[in-house]
Amino acid sequence: MTKSYLAGLNRTFSRFLFVIAGFALSGTMLLTVADVILRAFKRPILGTYELVGLLGAVVIGFALPQTSRLKGHVMMDFLTGKLPDALQTVLHILTRLLAIGLFAVLGWNTWIMGNDFYRVGEVTPTLQLPLYPVTYLMALCCFIECLVLFVDMLTKRELEP
C-alpha cells in the first residue's frame, strides 16, 4: 500500500465518522432540549439519560480520528520546540508509536468487552438497548485512530511558525 492510499483511506474514514459524530451530537442536543421541555408538562422522555450516555460515547469515539488527523488536540511543545529538528522527529515518531500501541490495546480490550456484552446479553436498564453494538463501534474507532496516527507518523511533521 502506498502512503497516498493510506492517507486517502485515513481521510475518508475520519470524515465519515466525524459526520456521524455530528449527527449524534445534534441528536443529543435535540433529545435533551425535548426532555427538558416535556418535563415542564410532566411528560419526560423515557430513557433520556441512557440515550445521552450512548450518544456521548459515539460523539467522543467517532470524533477522535478526525480531530487527531486535523491536529485539533492541545499540544504543549514549548520545550520540545527548542530541540534540534532530528530529535524532534525522533520524538514525533516515538510518541506516535506509543499512541498506536495504546489505542491498539484499548481497541482490542474494548472489542473483547463487546464480546462479553454480546455473550451475556448486557442491556441498558430502562430501554433494554444492547450495549455491544456501541462497544464494537468504539473499538473500531480505536483501530481507525491507530491508522490516523500511523499516517501522521509517515508524513513530514510541519513545524509551527
Side-chain angles (χ1 to χ4, degrees):
M1 286 190 230
T2 65
K3 188 164 59 170
S4 62
Y5 175 76
L6 282 176
L9 194 64
N10 175 27
R11 185 174 44 256
T12 302
F13 281 150
S14 297
R15 285 181 179 170
F16 177 71
L17 293 176
F18 198 63
V19 168
I20 294 172
F23 280 116
L25 183 60
S26 298
T28 301
M29 180 197 63
L30 292 172
L31 180 63
T32 303
V33 168
D35 187 52
V36 168
I37 291 170
L38 290 173
R39 279 182 189 273
F41 299 104
K42 308 254 190 272
R43 299 273 187 202
I45 299 173
L46 188 66
T48 299
Y49 184 77
E50 293 172 1
L51 290 172
V52 168
L54 292 173
L55 288 171
V58 170
V59 169
I60 292 168
F62 281 43
L64 182 64
Q66 179 75 347
T67 305
S68 293
R69 194 177 76 78
L70 297 177
K71 301 193 182 4
H73 298 292
V74 174
M75 186 180 300
M76 303 301 251
D77 61 351
F78 57 88
L79 180 64
T80 57
K82 297 181 184 343
L83 297 173
D85 287 346
L87 188 54
Q88 286 185 33
T89 301
V90 168
L91 287 174
H92 177 77
I93 291 170
L94 181 63
T95 56
R96 295 315 172 270
L97 287 172
L98 287 170
I100 289 168
L102 171 74
F103 278 102
V105 168
L106 283 172
W108 178 254
N109 283 305
T110 305
W111 191 270
I112 291 171
M113 186 168 56
N115 288 341
D116 291 342
F117 285 167
Y118 179 76
R119 186 176 30 80
V120 299
E122 187 77 25
V123 295
T124 60
T126 306
L127 297 176
Q128 300 294 302
L129 296 172
L131 291 176
Y132 72 90
V134 174
T135 309
Y136 284 141
L137 290 172
M138 294 302 99
L140 180 66
C141 289
C142 287
F143 296 134
I144 293 173
E145 178 68 9
C146 289
L147 173 66
V148 168
L149 292 165
F150 181 72
V151 170
D152 182 49
M153 185 178 64
L154 295 180
T155 57
K156 185 170 177 0
R157 196 172 62 83
E158 298 167 8
L159 298 174
E160 297 209 5

